[in-house]
Amino acid sequence: MKRILILLIVFSVQFTHGQQQDLQRANLLFGKTYYSAAIPLYEKISIKIQTKEVIQNLGDCYFYTNDYDKAQAQYASLISNKELNEDFYFRYAQTLKARGKYTEANDVLRNFYLVSNNTVAIEKLDRDIKNLKNVTAIGERFEIHNLALNTINSEFGGVVFGDNLVFSAVKKKPNLFDKTYKWNNESYLNLVSIALKNVIQNDSITAYFSKDLKSSMHESNAIFTKDGKTMYFTRNNSNNGRRGKNTDKISNIQIFRAEFVKNKWTNIVALPFNNPNYSVEHPALSPDEKTLYFASDMPGTFGSLDIYKVSIDGITYGTPINLGDKINTSKRDQFPFVSKDNKLYFSSNGHEGYGGLDIFVSDINDNSYSKAANVGIPVNSGYDDFAYYIDSDIKEGYFSSDRPGGKGKDDIYSLKETKELLIEDCKQYIAGIITDVDSHLALENAIVILKNASNQELEKAITKTDGKFSFTIECESDYSLFATKENYTENSKSFHISGERNKTNDGSMEIRSIEIIKKEEQAAIDKKLAADLLVAQQLKATELAALEQKKKDDAIAFQQKKRDDANALEAKRLADKEAAEQLKKDKLAADKKNAAIAEAKKKEKAAAIVAAEKDVIKDKDRLIIKTEPIYFDYDLWYIRKDSKKILNRVVELMNKYPEMVVEIGSHTDNRGNTKYNADLSQNRADATRNYILEQGIPKNRILAKGYGESVPIIKCIPEDSCDEEQHELNRRSEFVIKNL
């Protein structure tokens, strides 16, 4: 037992020691940015060791090798750790954007800024989200195509040189002894070229651009002068053809110049502002070739890499100048390119974007730069999009991307710009006509006021002779509209504005002349007085006629009694009366029996219809056709288009049951004049009946009755005792089945 225990202790110590060695080696590789080499070690270690360092470093390895799904999984497991800094949340958000989870990505950053009370960052995030929405709203600005020259490896940075496309690539099939770049396990980059006419042909042959430039290090991102005699390109720091390293044993990237002499690229020299302690990369020339743009992480940058410029005078160069915070950010800003029309294009993951590196553009005017703008989709994606090149004369060019659906890690795409980059905030319109309720004519000098959700007045319009008005408003906001005119009533409308762009919302309203209202009120009073007087006169005449008739009847009865034989007449009268009563009883019994049978059949038929038709329901002792609410425009009774679909269901049921008789009952609330409400409800009921008749239903099967305010569901006495919802419940149209 002691020997077994000793063996277990020894094995445990050896296992723990082995894990520590693996962790030390993984951390060493990670520190040297050998991410591909570090991944298998961290994956092995993470099975047993789940520290913050191991999980975050493994996630970062996946992130820097563009395996965003795996990086996202690692980052998600750390999200509750309070020791994480902003760079972690930035990378986590980038992995979410790569999968199109923009809302979730923005929430990750916003929550971090809220916890750290960084209101400035939150405001910038909100501006960036809005700005990106505005860019997205433009739609697809480019036609893009993955070039046939792409392979399973990396190809990027295409520029036109004469009749050829020059770009950076790695060998399709590296030799056994070729060195590999341990960041991503690919062999080192070389400059290659292909005839422009062949870029869209499969299996086109590429060749080294110049074997004079080829080395065992990276060569990439070439740019040429217009005369084709000078080029600038990126290469690892080197000394006499051998890799140069700084004190940290890192071989940074530098820019070299070469001259084309006697059909050969020669006189290859490093630019004087290179430095072994930082990178200088991605050269680009201004149209007049007097300025060289490049990216660098030299001291004084805003972040990881910034865009710089330096003046050129022959082979003499000025002092590099940082382009400032309109271009550079606290993240990566690189791959500059200046078009013929003096626009600076570059890639950045610090400006508002769709994820990874996005391509941005800035106008150059008198050595100043406009605020960088995202060039939009589909050139930009949730992945790295970079190395933009365009001939602004023909709006065609190339860019590079590692997005899904390509052939390799980085692919070159052709592009054709088809839409102007016009970035605008989302807006809509509220427009309409102010008209008179009675005449339906447009009103001049009507006042229309636009207010926001806080009831603050934003704009005011006074209508011309055509009664029209229009306001421009922001999307995703709430507004109220108020209309009035001297000696007229007021009216209002509310709007909840969506995110749809350039939509016009109908703000048309009707208002009514106060003078006409007063005349109608007086006419109604006069009419009621006249009606009351007539009723009184008719009642008195009826009473007098009844009294006179009674006197006549009494006299006739007395004379008849005297002339007839009292006994015979009485006997006959009694016999006739008895026979009549018996006949009446028999008839009543038969009618009652038939009525009971008919009622039973009717109930049976009604029950069958209720069971068969979901739209037919019992309502106490009534059978009704339940429909969606039927709306009429204010003070009108024509059948609106949206109501016809509802009425067609009633027609469908009446066609299905040919004996069905339906009464259309139209009801109003008790606001306003009683007679007016009765007339309005009758007009609406008649309009509804006419529509059903037009569908072929016989007249004797459809009845129309306007009940006005006489049959409310909720009694609103006084009328202001009910809220708008209760009044709306009283305003209804009902379809009551009277017979089956």
Side-chain angles (χ1 to χ4, degrees), residues 139 192 194 219 261 281 295 412 414 478-479 488 548 624 650 691:
V192 299
I194 185 174
E219 280 92 26
V261 180
E281 57 191 44
I412 301 175
S414 66
D478 293 322
Y479 294 92
Y488 271 77
E548 188 65 29
I624 65 173
V650 176
Y691 176 81

Side-chain angles (χ1 to χ4, degrees), residues 599-636:
E599 184 64 20
K601 288 183 179 180
K602 183 177 180 180
K603 288 182 179 180
E604 181 179 351
K605 189 172 183 180
I609 292 176
V610 169
E613 304 295 340
K614 65 179 182 180
D615 297 325
V616 179
I617 63 170
K618 286 278 291 180
D619 180 24
K620 297 180 181 179
D621 59 343
R622 302 187 307 166
L623 200 62
I624 65 173
I625 299 173
K626 185 69 175 177
T627 67
E628 295 179 17
I630 296 175
Y631 296 109
F632 294 86
D633 287 341
Y634 178 77
D635 198 35
L636 298 177

Side-chain angles (χ1 to χ4, degrees), residues 546-560:
L547 183 59
E548 188 65 29
Q549 184 63 42
K550 185 176 184 305
K551 289 180 180 179
K552 290 180 181 180
D553 291 344
D554 289 344
I556 293 171
F558 179 75
Q559 292 296 327
Q560 184 66 35

